[in-house]
């Protein structure tokens, strides 16, 4: 590649990104999932589109897709709240394992008996489409005010189920007979265990290091966090474990560790996640050949119908009924098994391994994902309202950024008071911060001032709170308690544990 070629590539990539960013705004207004817009950009650039770019490198697509999925899982894990998924962890794990097994079996049977595919192809398709897409789930569910149990279960499932599905797809795509089912189950459990141990260990040590080492620039924290997450994936994969589970658990550990400069880190990770999604979908759009899809539309619709109406609901019922999950929540989670780029990426594995009929498998999966994403994503809010599962009027979470003052043995907390926060109308002295913490500055409508004890806080205020090391966590817990419960949070039972020193 010459410098001239580099200039052309940079221009093309920047234009694609700008169009994709604009598409997010359009899709948010129209309800059209943005992933379909990105796929459309790739198709337009492809050999059947106006770009006439001939691209058929399935192996490169698989490698780049894996890399993008690592970033997407890391971003999703950083935004997953442990207090939301901890109560539903057993249910989410059952859904990611038993639910996937049921979905694979039922979908494969439908593909074999209704479409006429041979068993190996049917099992591959069943495994490929049984994985819910983390990017789709994270982007859609976080815009819908659902109960924490539903959101936590679906987010944890989407983070967990990639690992067993990848193992199944690789096993079914390997030349020769598939090993006995109990051997395959043992391999899946072993790889998941290795990935879980490595992910938790890397996340814990990484968060401990970032808390105890004050980096010279705030911009280094986001880089360090993403590097730790990627290291967890690489370590898990090299140890013959599940790298995808490792990166998700490591990121979740980091995301719940109250690291310094956290809003900046989340913003950086979210930006990388968007770039990964855009690049992944555009590349998948380039790989598909639209004029070859005609014969595979009906088989894709039939298999998708079996998956959506039979396999997914059956897997949800069998997995969640023992945990006494209410039927309305099970109905929503049955419909919320969103597919996206992950199944399309996994469909490149049999292509790389030279499985007979692998191109048809890819085409069927592509059509299935596009059609059922159009159907499921926009209808989720309506279904949630119909089932009366929406939660309206919940107070927004408080934005707090922490910067360590290492030489002063303290922390500077930057606090944003969002719309709907019950901190609005509270006087500074009514915050009842623990001794060793104080509000030192308020920024309101672009002007800053030192507050008095009687200063009344308002929405959209920015507060600077200085706290010593021993009371830093208690001060943050108290601020969050007031944001959700108002000045009476301590008496209403919404004050955080350990904040009792504020009285």
């Amino acid at each position: 590649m010459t410098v001239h070629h580099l200039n052309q590539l940079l221009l093309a990539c920047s234009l694609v990104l700008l169009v994709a960013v604009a598409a997010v705004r359009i899709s948010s207004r129209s309800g059209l999932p943005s992933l379909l817009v990105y796929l459309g950009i790739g198709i337009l650039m492809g050999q059947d589109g106006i770009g006439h770019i001939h691209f058929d490198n399935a192996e490169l697509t698989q490698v780049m897709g894996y890399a993008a999925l690592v970033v997407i899982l890391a971003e999703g894990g950083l935004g997953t709240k442990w207090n939301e998924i901890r109560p539903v962890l057993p249910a989410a794990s059952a859904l990611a394992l038993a639910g996937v097994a049921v979905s694979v079996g039922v979908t494969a049977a439908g593909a074999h008996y209704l479409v006429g595919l041979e068993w190996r192809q049917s099992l591959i398709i069943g495994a490929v489409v049984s994985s819910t897409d983390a990017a789709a789930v994270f982007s859609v569910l976080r815009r819908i005010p659902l109960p924490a149990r539903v959101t936590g279960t679906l987010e944890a499932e989407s983070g967990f189920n990639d690992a067993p599905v990848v193992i199944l797809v690789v096993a079914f795509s390997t030349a020769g007979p598939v090993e006995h089912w109990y051997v395959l189950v043992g391999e899946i459990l072993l790889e998941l265990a290795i990935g879980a141990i490595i992910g938790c260990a890397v996340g814990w040590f990484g968060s401990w290091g970032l808390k105890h080492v004050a980096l010279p620039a705030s911009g280094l924290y986001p880089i360090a966090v993403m590097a730790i997450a990627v290291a967890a994936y690489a370590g898990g994969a090299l140890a013959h474990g599940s790298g995808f589970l490792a990166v998700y658990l490591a990121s979740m550990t980091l995301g719940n560790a109250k690291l310094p400069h956290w809003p900046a880190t989340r913003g950086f990770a979210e930006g990388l996640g968007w770039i990964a999604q855009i690049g992944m979908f555009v590349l998948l759009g380039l790989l598909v050949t639209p004029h070859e899809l005609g014969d595979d539309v009906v088989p894709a619709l039939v298999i998708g119908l079996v998956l959506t109406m039979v396999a997914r609901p059956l897997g949800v019922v069998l997995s969640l009924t023992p945990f006494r999950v209410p039927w309305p929540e099970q109905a929503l989670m049955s419909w919320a098994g969103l597919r996206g780029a992950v199944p399309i990426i996994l469909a490149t594995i049999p292509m790389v391994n030279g499985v007979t009929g692998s191109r048809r498998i890819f085409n069927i999966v592509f059509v299935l994902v596009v059609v059922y994403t159009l159907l499921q994503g926009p209808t989720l809010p309506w279904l949630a309202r119909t089932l009366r599962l929406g939660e309206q009027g919940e107070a927004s979470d408080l934005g707090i950024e922490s910067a360590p003052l290492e030489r002063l043995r303290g922390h500077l907390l930057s606090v944003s008071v969002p719309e709907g926060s019950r901190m609005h109308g509270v006087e500074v002295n009514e915050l009842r911060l623990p001794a060793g913490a104080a509000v030192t500055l308020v920024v309101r409508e672009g002007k800053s001032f030192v507050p008095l004890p009687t200063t009344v806080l308002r929405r959209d205020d920015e507060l600077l709170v200085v706290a010593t090391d021993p009371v830093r966590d208690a001060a943050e817990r108290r601020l969050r308690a007031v944001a959700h419960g108002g000045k009476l949070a301590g008496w209403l039972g919404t004050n955080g544990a350990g904040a009792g020193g504020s009285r």
Side-chain angles (χ1 to χ4, degrees):
M1 177 180 288
T2 64
V3 174
H4 178 68
H5 293 148
L6 175 63
N7 295 337
Q8 292 178 326
L9 179 62
L10 290 177
L11 177 61
C13 291
S14 61
L15 291 176
V16 168
L17 285 175
L18 288 174
V19 171
V21 170
V24 175
R25 181 62 176 171
I26 296 172
S27 65
S28 63
R29 288 187 173 185
S30 63
L32 182 71
S34 57
L35 70 89
L36 298 182
V37 180
Y38 304 153
L39 285 173
I41 293 173
I43 293 173
L44 284 175
M45 295 171 58
Q47 56 183 334
D48 285 358
I50 59 177
H52 301 293
I53 299 176
H54 181 75
F55 179 80
D56 59 358
N57 193 331
E59 187 171 5
L60 176 61
T61 304
Q62 178 186 335
V63 172
M64 297 301 294
Y66 271 42
L69 185 57
V70 169
V71 175
I72 291 169
L73 284 172
E75 191 272 329
L78 291 174
T80 299
K81 298 178 181 179
W82 173 245
N83 61 349
E84 289 185 0
I85 74 164
R86 179 174 55 188
V88 300
L89 198 57
S93 300
L95 197 55
L97 293 174
V100 163
V102 171
S103 181
V104 171
V106 174
T107 306
H112 178 71
Y113 291 111
L114 298 180
V115 179
L117 298 178
E118 63 178 43
W119 271 114
R120 180 178 292 275
Q121 296 173 348
S122 300
L123 287 170
I124 291 174
I125 289 181
V128 164
V129 299
S130 293
S131 174
T132 55
D133 184 75
V137 170
F138 294 147
S139 62
V140 172
L141 291 184
R142 290 176 184 175
R143 297 198 304 265
I144 305 175
L146 294 174
R149 178 168 60 180
V150 175
T151 302
T153 301
L154 290 171
E155 288 191 3
E157 179 210 4
S158 66
F160 294 160
N161 66 11
D162 288 337
V165 166
V166 169
I167 298 170
L168 287 175
V169 175
V170 172
F172 295 150
S173 301
T174 303
V178 178
E179 295 197 43
H180 297 295
W181 67 268
Y182 52 85
V183 176
L184 192 58
V185 170
E187 290 179 357
I188 291 174
L189 294 178
L190 178 60
E191 290 194 23
L192 291 178
I194 294 174
I197 293 172
I198 292 178
C200 292
V202 171
W204 188 88
F205 282 109
S207 61
W208 182 88
L210 290 175
K211 282 182 176 180
H212 290 80
V213 176
L215 298 177
S218 61
L220 295 175
Y221 284 92
I223 297 174
V225 167
M226 292 305 296
I228 292 169
V230 174
Y233 167 80
L238 292 174
H240 301 288
S242 172
F244 293 120
L245 182 60
V247 66
Y248 182 72
L249 291 178
S251 302
M252 188 170 62
T253 303
L254 291 166
N256 289 272
K258 298 178 182 177
L259 298 178
H261 302 290
W262 185 242
T265 300
R266 283 289 295 125
F268 179 79
E270 188 175 357
L272 287 182
W274 277 111
I275 292 177
Q277 289 185 53
I278 292 169
M280 180 170 57
F281 289 127
V282 170
L283 195 62
L284 291 171
L286 278 173
L287 185 63
V288 73
T289 307
H291 71 262
E292 297 179 353
L293 299 178
D295 295 337
D296 299 316
V297 171
V298 174
L301 294 178
V302 172
I303 295 173
L305 192 63
V306 172
L307 171 67
T308 307
M309 298 301 181
V310 182
R312 171 70 181 182
L314 184 60
V316 169
V317 170
L318 294 178
S319 301
L320 299 185
T321 299
F323 297 97
R324 299 182 179 180
V325 177
W327 290 111
E329 295 184 9
Q330 290 193 31
L332 183 67
M333 285 189 269
S334 297
W335 190 247
L338 301 175
R339 272 75 195 175
V342 172
I344 306 177
I345 292 171
L346 297 180
T348 63
I349 295 177
M351 295 175 67
V352 173
N353 290 349
V355 174
T356 303
S358 58
R359 187 72 198 191
R360 189 185 185 197
I361 293 175
F362 180 85
N363 291 340
I364 290 175
V365 171
F366 186 90
V367 174
L368 186 155
V369 167
V370 170
V371 172
Y372 286 92
T373 298
L374 273 172
L375 182 63
Q376 289 177 280
T379 56
L380 264 180
W382 170 84
L383 181 61
R385 290 192 299 270
T386 301
L387 296 173
R388 298 181 180 180
L389 292 176
E391 292 184 344
Q392 303 296 334
E394 183 177 353
S396 302
D397 196 15
L398 196 67
I400 299 180
E401 179 171 358
S402 172
L405 305 173
E406 186 177 44
R407 297 180 63 183
L408 301 179
R409 297 184 60 80
H411 291 265
L412 181 64
L413 307 180
S414 175
V415 182
S416 303
V417 182
E419 186 75 23
S421 173
R422 295 185 181 178
M423 192 178 287
H424 174 76
V426 175
E427 295 183 2
V428 169
N429 63 339
E430 292 174 331
L431 293 176
R432 302 199 322 277
L433 296 176
V439 179
T440 59
L441 196 70
V442 174
V443 180
R444 178 177 297 165
E445 297 178 352
K447 298 180 180 180
S448 58
F449 60 92
V450 177
L452 299 173
T454 56
T455 298
V456 178
L457 302 178
R458 300 178 184 173
R459 63 179 60 91
D460 298 325
D461 279 355
E462 298 281 342
L463 315 180
L464 291 184
V465 179
V466 174
T468 58
D469 272 344
V471 302
R472 179 244 184 270
D473 290 341
E476 181 171 341
R477 283 195 294 270
R478 178 59 190 166
L479 289 168
R480 293 190 185 278
V482 175
H484 286 275
K487 58 186 176 183
L488 299 180
W491 286 276
L492 295 176
T494 53
N495 204 8
S502 62
R503 297 185 183 84

